Amino acid sequence: MTSMPTRWHRVGRGLQLGLEGVAGATLFAMMLLTTADVTGRFIFNSPILGSVELTQLMLAAVVFLSLPVVCWREEHVSVDLLDAIFPARWVWWRQVIVNLIVTLALWVMAGRVWALGVRAFDWGDVTEFLRIPVGYLIYLMAIMLALSALLTLMRAGGYLLEGIGVLERGGPLSPGGTP
């Protein structure tokens, strides 16, 4: 039995830190924009024009930039109704099946959102006030959904390899393992 290669851990950690960094910077920019807008609106009677549109765009970016990390860490909102009655020796099967279902759902959503991005560019969709093309954000959303699907598929593969004994149990993919 072997554990996951260290190189892949570094690549995964770099991807995670990159996505979290961009999402965090976007969230910080959104906070600064909101603070400046509220200060300008109530103290100087001069709000920042288009701040609502920018906040909406940044909020969507934060959510979808965070999605791949959430999928890899399996930090989704979940309900453990069957955990008490599910035999421990079958947990890896359950995890494989659940991750494959989530992969399929994310992949279908990525395809549909990509089609919306194509349509947004074809129709010239822009934000109402600042006239920012929304197609770029829609493409970002589709790419993050596809990346999330890929990571969830990798997660399912990891559970499968642990379950059949190719990877060591107790690693980052095992229930209760370190992320």
Side-chain angles (χ1 to χ4, degrees):
M1 286 191 272
T2 59
S3 61
M4 292 184 77
T6 307
R7 179 176 55 123
W8 288 109
H9 283 294
R10 285 194 304 263
V11 169
R13 184 73 176 146
L15 178 64
Q16 175 184 338
L17 289 175
L19 290 171
E20 288 176 341
V22 174
T26 304
L27 185 62
F28 187 72
M30 192 167 58
M31 180 195 67
L32 290 177
L33 175 65
T34 302
T35 302
D37 183 48
V38 169
T39 302
R41 183 179 314 267
F42 291 109
I43 295 178
F44 303 111
N45 199 23
S46 179
I48 297 175
L49 299 176
S51 64
V52 173
E53 284 182 2
L54 290 173
T55 300
Q56 290 171 341
L57 296 173
M58 287 190 281
L59 182 59
V62 167
V63 169
F64 282 92
L65 286 166
S66 302
L67 184 62
V69 176
V70 169
C71 287
W72 179 252
R73 290 182 182 170
E74 291 185 315
E75 293 180 341
H76 308 89
V77 174
S78 61
V79 180
D80 55 356
L81 296 175
L82 301 176
D83 283 357
I85 61 171
F86 209 85
R89 67 182 183 277
W90 292 350
V91 168
W92 69 274
W93 270 114
R94 180 194 65 200
Q95 293 304 106
V96 168
I97 291 167
V98 166
N99 278 284
L100 288 175
I101 291 169
V102 171
T103 297
L104 179 63
L106 287 167
W107 189 253
V108 169
M109 286 189 287
R112 294 301 306 142
V113 172
W114 187 268
L116 290 174
V118 169
R119 186 175 76 182
F121 274 114
D122 288 346
W123 291 1
D125 287 349
V126 293
T127 60
E128 186 176 347
F129 189 73
L130 296 176
R131 314 294 296 163
I132 299 171
V134 295
Y136 295 113
L137 178 64
I138 296 172
Y139 280 151
L140 173 70
M141 293 163 57
I143 291 167
M144 291 299 110
L145 283 165
L147 178 60
S148 299
L150 176 65
L151 291 173
T152 306
L153 181 63
M154 289 172 57
R155 181 64 94 164
Y159 280 119
L160 179 65
L161 292 174
E162 277 189 1
I164 62 175
V166 174
L167 290 179
E168 293 178 19
R169 288 188 179 268
L173 297 176
S174 294
T178 57

